[in-house]
Amino acid sequence: MASRRLLLLIVFLFSPLFFASPSSALAPKVSLALYYETLCPYCSNFMVNYLPKIFENGLISIVDLDLIPYGNAKIRSNGTISCQHGPDECLLNTVEACAISEWPDLSVHFSFIYCVEKLVAEHKHLEWESCFSKVGLDSQNVMDCYSNGYGKKLELQYAAQTDSLQPPHRYVPWVVVDGQPLYDDYQDFEAYICKAYKGDLPKACDGLVLKMNQERKVNRNVCYDNKMISSI
Ligand SMILES: *[C@@H]1O[C@H](CO)[C@@H](O)[C@H](O)[C@H]1NC(C)=O
């Protein structure tokens, strides 16, 4: 009798392990890192037409998203930063870095960055300051961050992070899922996220199958690192 009770107790204590959803609470989120530069048209296209899908379909609940606005920029020998698409790109990279720092909440800084990149996609990036009022955020701290040098410090940190990528990035957008770059398949990032996740898959993963890229052709939907081009 006693052993039967003990058995029931054991079954009771362990039943959550069998009946509750096994892993969703325990499975770590999938890390999704986007290395980009603000004026590369393929980056803005990805950020405006692809990336926002995970906020709409709920995939964001299993994702840790990091935005790294630096891309193919370089540090000159005198310590200044040179950007692939010129000074406007350096300005916007820094402004977006400041936005991430000022509003650490992803949904807040992404709303601002999405607004800026949408303007980039519409060839209206000079109107970027309109994004503060469009998304209802105060501009003061981001503008201060840009002008007082803190933004430059953030950019140097992003430079170090980008330049230490293994394998090194060859172009942007450079999308990395759990440490693995997606190369030309970056537009299928959702399928890679679902494949990497160890817990119960959310509904958004239904029907997402990886179509493996058979031919590794030259991807025309990226901004190549100049250095790589000149060394080919
Ligand atoms: C750094 O070098 C660049 C190009 O070589 C030059 O245009 C710029 O004025 C220099 N800036 C400073 C602060 O020395």
Side-chain angles (χ1 to χ4, degrees), residues 101-168:
S101 164
E102 168 62 16
W103 304 304
D105 185 330
L106 173 68
S107 60
V108 179
H109 66 243
F110 189 76
S111 69
F112 177 80
I113 289 174
Y114 170 86
C115 176
V116 174
E117 293 306 316
K118 194 155 192 301
L119 290 175
V120 171
E122 294 164 354
H123 308 288
K124 297 192 294 196
H125 73 264
L126 293 176
E127 297 171 25
W128 66 273
E129 285 182 67
S130 68
C131 285
F132 291 113
S133 58
K134 273 187 197 153
V135 299
L137 292 165
D138 187 70
S139 64
Q140 189 68 53
N141 290 355
V142 166
M143 296 306 246
D144 286 349
C145 165
Y146 175 74
S147 50
N148 69 14
Y150 188 63
K152 165 92 188 282
K153 204 175 140 195
L154 295 172
E155 276 302 291
L156 291 176
Q157 286 167 10
Y158 284 137
Q161 187 179 346
T162 303
D163 293 340
S164 63
L165 271 170
Q166 277 311 326

Side-chain angles (χ1 to χ4, degrees), residues 80-114:
T80 60
I81 296 174
S82 124
C83 295
Q84 186 165 29
H85 301 88
D88 282 3
E89 181 164 77
C90 282
L91 184 153
L92 289 178
N93 284 352
T94 310
V95 164
E96 293 190 10
C98 286
I100 295 165
S101 164
E102 168 62 16
W103 304 304
D105 185 330
L106 173 68
S107 60
V108 179
H109 66 243
F110 189 76
S111 69
F112 177 80
I113 289 174
Y114 170 86

Side-chain angles (χ1 to χ4, degrees), residues 6 17 35 37 43 45 66 70 95 102 125 150 198 212:
L6 185 63
L17 294 181
Y35 293 80
E37 58 197 23
C43 295
N45 180 49
D66 268 318
Y70 180 77
V95 164
E102 168 62 16
H125 73 264
Y150 188 63
K198 304 288 193 306
M212 284 303 172

Side-chain angles (χ1 to χ4, degrees), residues 48-63:
V48 169
N49 296 315
Y50 290 82
L51 194 52
K53 287 194 281 180
I54 66 175
F55 292 91
E56 289 152 22
N57 64 22
L59 213 53
I60 191 65
S61 66
I62 61 165
V63 168

Side-chain angles (χ1 to χ4, degrees), residues 131-225:
C131 285
F132 291 113
S133 58
K134 273 187 197 153
V135 299
L137 292 165
D138 187 70
S139 64
Q140 189 68 53
N141 290 355
V142 166
M143 296 306 246
D144 286 349
C145 165
Y146 175 74
S147 50
N148 69 14
Y150 188 63
K152 165 92 188 282
K153 204 175 140 195
L154 295 172
E155 276 302 291
L156 291 176
Q157 286 167 10
Y158 284 137
Q161 187 179 346
T162 303
D163 293 340
S164 63
L165 271 170
Q166 277 311 326
H169 85 286
R170 292 193 228 143
Y171 44 74
V172 288
W174 189 255
V175 179
V176 180
V177 171
D178 269 355
Q180 303 298 313
L182 304 191
Y183 299 100
D184 304 2
D185 287 347
Y186 70 87
Q187 288 173 339
D188 292 329
F189 71 112
E190 291 172 289
Y192 283 89
I193 290 166
C194 294
K195 185 165 170 265
Y197 189 57
K198 304 288 193 306
D200 286 346
L201 292 180
K203 197 111 191 71
C205 289
D206 291 357
L208 280 182
V209 234
L210 273 183
K211 305 177 292 297
M212 284 303 172
N213 222 344
Q214 314 272 291
E215 352 133 46
R216 282 238 171 260
K217 53 186 185 304
V218 174
N219 195 334
R220 305 206 180 280
N221 296 321
V222 297
C223 293
Y224 279 93
D225 189 324

